Amino acid sequence: AQTVTQSQPEMSVQEAETVTLSCTYDTSESNYYLFWYKQPPSRQMILVIRQEAYKQQNATENRFSVNFQKAAKSFSLKISDSQLGDTAMYFCAFMKPGGLNDMRFGAGTRLTVKP
Amino acid sequence: DTEVTQTPKHLVMGMTNKKSLKCEQHMGHRAMYWYKQKAKKPPELMFVYSYEKLSINESVPSRFSPECPNSSLLNLHLHALQPEDSALYLCASSHRLAGASGELFFGEGSRLTVL
């Protein structure tokens, strides 16, 4: 079974600064997907960024980027130029391709961006 | 704007009531999901439907009864619930095609309170 671990229950960052959220996972699969989802207080889960394990290049989406270390089974999210709207719960998630798409989530990190 | 629509947004019910949660998507996705989320916790997978057939049931009590009438609709029928079933119930959908990214698209959720 796959497990996803987020070891930082809460983090805070000053507006315009950079913050990194950590995620590790455990799997015996060689190919899989990793995701970061954001859940603001309005509660809808929104995809932030996605990484396919067979791609060596780290994914980037505007101010969001990941550091994917496959051998270390690490998948951290870097948020640059933090904005107040980035305040939310961030969940790291794992999914095997080709299966029943049962996505598994880490415990989450509550990020607060301070003005 | 969300492309997965859940109704109702809020539901209060007694332990003897029968109610239903509804979910609808028009993205042509053939996989649909129910997740349960308690406060400050990650979503927990309950059910997965693939091509309108129940593919995963994560040992959910029978007081929760899912139904997928067609590829666009997903229902969760509730009967004889317990107060500990109070939670946010999230519906999601995804492509079910080989090579698809696996991304889940979430609705805003239905906040259930069992008295």
Side-chain angles (χ1 to χ4, degrees), chain A residues 15-86:
Chain A
E15 196 175 6
E17 297 294 313
T18 296
V19 64
T20 299
L21 280 57
S22 300
C23 173
T24 59
Y25 58 94
D26 185 26
T27 184
S28 58
E29 303 289 333
S30 59
N31 193 26
Y32 43 86
Y33 298 115
L34 294 166
F35 306 85
W36 279 98
Y37 275 87
K38 168 185 177 181
Q39 189 176 36
S42 65
R43 79 192 179 195
Q44 185 181 12
M45 298 275 282
I46 302 168
L47 178 69
V48 175
I49 201 164
R50 168 180 54 232
Q51 177 78 41
E52 297 167 32
Y54 67 87
K55 290 186 177 179
Q56 294 185 342
Q57 186 173 4
N58 289 327
T60 299
E61 289 288 342
N62 300 313
R63 298 183 294 108
F64 299 88
S65 61
V66 298
N67 183 4
F68 173 49
Q69 301 289 328
K70 190 173 184 179
K73 297 181 181 177
S74 171
F75 183 61
S76 61
L77 174 69
K78 185 172 81 171
I79 306 174
S80 304
D81 186 25
S82 296
Q83 300 176 0
L84 297 178
D86 295 332

Side-chain angles (χ1 to χ4, degrees), chain A residues 33 35 37 39 42-45 47 50 52 89 91 95 98-108 110, chain B residues 2 9 33 35 37 40-42 45 48 55-56 58 88 94-96 100-104 106 108-109:
Chain A
Y33 298 115
F35 306 85
Y37 275 87
Q39 189 176 36
S42 65
R43 79 192 179 195
Q44 185 181 12
M45 298 275 282
L47 178 69
R50 168 180 54 232
E52 297 167 32
M89 280 290 288
F91 293 101
M95 178 187 285
L100 293 171
N101 292 15
D102 52 330
M103 183 175 287
R104 305 291 172 166
F105 292 87
R110 181 172 300 278
Chain B
T2 179
K9 292 193 186 316
Y33 311 74
Y35 281 86
Q37 188 179 24
K40 299 184 179 181
K41 296 291 186 181
L45 184 64
V48 180
S55 301
I56 295 179
E58 291 287 303
L88 182 67
S94 72
H95 290 289
R96 190 64 185 93
S101 67
E103 175 187 352
L104 297 192
F106 285 87
E108 294 187 1

Side-chain angles (χ1 to χ4, degrees), chain B residues 2-115:
Chain B
T2 179
E3 296 185 76
V4 177
T5 303
Q6 290 188 242
T7 56
K9 292 193 186 316
H10 299 274
L11 178 63
V12 179
M13 60 186 292
M15 289 189 285
T16 58
N17 292 157
K18 287 185 179 181
K19 297 287 184 182
S20 297
L21 305 180
K22 298 184 184 301
C23 175
E24 187 169 5
Q25 57 87 15
H26 295 288
M27 295 179 281
H29 292 168
R30 302 307 296 273
M32 296 187 76
Y33 311 74
W34 282 115
Y35 281 86
K36 173 182 178 179
Q37 188 179 24
K38 302 284 272 186
K40 299 184 179 181
K41 296 291 186 181
E44 296 177 0
L45 184 64
M46 300 175 71
F47 303 103
V48 180
Y49 273 83
S50 178
Y51 293 97
E52 296 90 67
K53 293 186 177 180
L54 184 62
S55 301
I56 295 179
N57 177 343
E58 291 287 303
S59 303
V60 179
S62 60
R63 57 185 183 269
F64 294 91
S65 176
E67 178 194 22
C68 190
N70 59 57
S71 60
S72 299
L73 295 174
L74 185 66
N75 298 321
L76 186 61
H77 303 298
L78 314 171
H79 174 54
L81 296 191
Q82 304 297 310
E84 58 265 29
D85 296 322
S86 298
L88 182 67
Y89 288 84
L90 295 168
C91 174
S93 69
S94 72
H95 290 289
R96 190 64 185 93
L97 301 173
S101 67
E103 175 187 352
L104 297 192
F105 294 80
F106 285 87
E108 294 187 1
S110 293
R111 173 76 63 190
L112 173 67
T113 302
V114 182
L115 301 177

